[in-house]
Amino acid sequence: MNTSEFRRRGKEMVDYVANYMEGIEGRQVYPDVEPGYLRPLIPAAAPEEPDTFEDIINDVEKIIMPGAASPACTELETVMMDWLGKMLELPKSFLAEKAGEGGGVIQGSASEATLVALLAARTKVIHRLQAASPELTQAAIMEKLVAYSSDQAHSSVERAGLIGGVKLKAIPSDGNFAMRASALQEALERDKAAGLIPFFVVATLGTTTCCSFDNLLEVGPICNKEDMWLHVDAAYAGSAFICPEFRHLLNGVEFADSFNFNPHKWLLVNFDCSAMWVKKRTDLTGAFRLDPTYLKHSHQDSGLITDYRHWQIPLGRRFRSLKMWFVFRMYGVKGLQAYIRKGSNKVNEALLQRINSAKKIHLVPCHLRDKFVLRFAICSRTVESAHVQRAWEHIKELAANVLQAERE
Ligand code: PLP
């Protein structure tokens, strides 16, 4: 959407809200939709090609408004998380459709997702150990719990350990900054021999420092064998997995208990929108559930509805799935993939043409398999750092012009 369309649509939206406020007394206060009403009304997966803005707005009136407030908010979130899970080709066990055990939830941040996973894993291991040895107190178990991540993991992982009151150990990464089986196994053996209880591992796909990838195919089976919860943090790189050529980087997610990435980082959804999936939703609801009288409702234990308050730390929640719905439909899967791939051979060819016609520097291209590549080769004895800097500024300026021309 260019700026003039944005201006027009924005004004239409203000009119829509103002009309809603003017006509609010004519609307029903309590919805008469049944649990699960929304899923059959929309497609089972995101569209490949973009939908029009008019179609989306019409659907808001037809599909969202009858589920005034909470039912629509919850149900659209569940379906949008399935749409996104399908775009990533997540294993079916992470999806909520067909009343499986898994499902997705929108958290505010990757930090929250890691913390929620760690707290759920902590409760799960405590319940398991107490079932086998009822005399064990929670405090006695907590003292011995130990979690692991690579030494390249984001600081939010260490923070989750701090908040969760458990030890978190950094596993030395290998020469490619990846956590590997041997280093994890070594730490596990050492800690178990010292009487500690390993219970939680965070593997990162796309580290903040250098976008390295922990080896999920090695680490995953160890976690499953040792009964440790595996959380996969792909906060910023995860959006790339919607492209088939990058999907292999997610292989091994089938071993995970929970997986998270931030569509608000690289998938065009505005902040905040951190997508988290779990294989077994009862792991979360079992850890965080409390039902005071003022939050009870008629479908409480029917199993028909998702109560997201049990999946997260806050109680209140925003209607964040609307952002996903709009973005996925306005771009279509193909548009989102094109955004991740950012730039075709055509754009690179246009950039080269501009650079060489400006005549300030000269580049010679090549093809690497089917990619058109601009080569920046420095061969002269007299070149200094300042020349390279100047050339880079020049290239950046021309690249911005090419991208601007593409948008117009
Ligand atoms: N994990 C990784 C790999 C990150 O790159 C980041 C932030 O850049 C985070 C976690 C924390 O993200 P958030 O700000 O959503 O908590």
Side-chain angles (χ1 to χ4, degrees):
M1 187 183 282
N2 59 26
T3 47
S4 64
E5 191 185 355
F6 179 69
R7 194 170 278 126
R8 181 160 64 84
R9 297 301 186 189
K11 287 174 183 164
E12 282 172 17
M13 212 60 217
V14 171
D15 279 342
Y16 183 85
V17 176
N19 289 341
Y20 172 82
M21 283 154 68
E22 277 173 5
I24 200 162
E25 289 186 7
R27 292 195 184 247
Q28 194 167 314
V29 174
Y30 195 83
D32 49 16
V33 294
E34 289 299 316
Y37 87 95
L38 188 139
R39 193 183 281 277
L41 299 180
I42 63 176
E48 284 294 308
E49 305 286 345
D51 279 345
T52 64
F53 192 78
E54 279 82 8
D55 282 348
I56 307 175
I57 286 292
N58 288 340
D59 281 351
V60 169
E61 197 52 46
K62 250 188 4 231
I63 296 168
I64 304 299
M65 287 308 186
S70 293
C73 173
T74 298
E75 297 206 5
L76 189 67
E77 181 161 336
T78 307
V79 181
M80 283 308 102
M81 291 301 293
D82 277 356
W83 276 21
L84 186 54
K86 287 178 191 175
M87 279 189 232
L88 301 168
E89 289 183 33
L90 274 186
K92 284 198 171 52
S93 47
F94 285 101
L95 306 184
E97 74 174 4
K98 306 209 170 70
E101 285 188 85
V105 57
I106 306 174
Q107 305 282 359
S109 65
S111 308
E112 261 174 88
T114 306
L115 177 63
V116 162
L118 180 136
L119 297 178
R122 192 185 76 178
T123 305
K124 193 173 179 179
V125 69
I126 290 171
H127 286 169
R128 192 176 74 223
L129 295 176
Q130 285 183 331
S133 316
E135 74 286 0
L136 284 175
T137 62
Q138 178 163 329
I141 297 172
M142 289 252 311
E143 228 177 49
K144 295 191 171 157
L145 292 182
V146 55
Y148 305 90
S149 67
S150 107
D151 57 9
Q152 298 303 309
H154 189 263
S155 59
S156 53
V157 178
E158 189 179 345
R159 206 141 166 262
L162 271 179
I163 300 171
V166 296
K167 289 174 222 24
L168 189 115
K169 297 203 176 178
I171 304 295
S173 52
D174 73 358
N176 289 322
F177 302 100
M179 176 162 59
R180 304 289 304 271
S182 50
L184 177 63
Q185 195 74 57
E186 205 177 292
L188 283 177
E189 298 311 328
R190 200 177 43 239
D191 288 345
K192 284 197 290 186
L196 296 179
I197 307 169
F199 80 108
F200 185 67
V201 174
V202 178
T204 310
L205 299 182
T207 58
T208 318
T209 46
C210 60
C211 205
S212 57
F213 283 67
D214 289 336
N215 193 323
L216 260 193
L217 288 166
E218 285 185 7
V219 166
I222 297 177
C223 295
N224 289 181
K225 184 165 147 270
E226 301 279 343
D227 237 339
M228 297 187 293
W229 181 300
L230 173 61
H231 176 71
V232 176
D233 171 13
Y236 93 89
S239 301
F241 305 147
I242 67 164
C243 298
E245 68 272 29
F246 300 126
R247 172 58 180 78
H248 67 97
L249 294 167
L250 185 57
N251 288 350
V253 73
E254 58 276 14
F255 297 108
D257 296 278
S258 50
F259 168 69
N260 166 249
F261 84 98
N262 285 351
H264 69 230
K265 279 200 158 78
W266 194 15
L267 207 60
L268 292 159
V269 182
N270 280 345
F271 188 81
D272 56 348
C273 180
S274 185
M276 178 189 194
W277 289 265
V278 285
K279 243 189 213 156
K280 221 171 157 202
R281 65 180 85 171
T282 48
D283 285 341
L284 296 187
T285 53
F288 305 130
R289 186 168 180 149
L290 273 185
D291 287 313
T293 317
Y294 45 83
L295 292 177
K296 284 195 196 304
H297 53 79
S298 52
H299 293 292
Q300 187 84 4
D301 295 308
S302 64
L304 291 173
I305 63 161
T306 301
D307 238 337
Y308 277 126
R309 67 190 157 102
H310 302 309
W311 298 49
Q312 60 177 22
I313 294 168
L315 167 65
R317 45 201 344 268
R318 298 171 53 216
F319 203 156
R320 289 179 288 207
S321 56
L322 268 183
K323 297 187 289 195
M324 296 169 94
W325 200 39
F326 270 71
V327 169
F328 297 165
R329 294 184 63 182
M330 291 200 61
Y331 282 83
V333 176
K334 285 189 182 159
L336 294 171
Q337 288 170 336
Y339 178 73
I340 297 287
R341 292 171 179 139
K342 281 205 193 94
S344 57
N345 283 348
K346 206 168 89 283
V347 180
N348 272 343
E349 283 164 22
L351 175 59
L352 181 75
Q353 209 265 331
R354 279 192 192 224
I355 291 170
N356 285 343
S357 349
K359 299 189 178 153
K360 289 191 176 165
I361 57 174
H362 180 67
L363 302 191
V364 177
C366 72
H367 271 100
L368 282 178
R369 303 228 159 86
D370 53 359
K371 277 212 165 60
F372 185 83
V373 175
L374 276 61
R375 299 164 56 254
F376 185 81
I378 303 160
C379 310
S380 167
R381 183 184 59 81
T382 56
V383 171
E384 292 173 4
S385 169
H387 298 117
V388 177
Q389 293 295 342
R390 219 177 300 150
W392 178 235
E393 290 309 316
H394 178 58
I395 292 170
K396 277 200 301 188
E397 190 187 328
L398 295 181
N401 294 345
V402 169
L403 292 176
Q404 181 62 32
E406 278 276 303
R407 279 194 288 268
E408 282 163 4

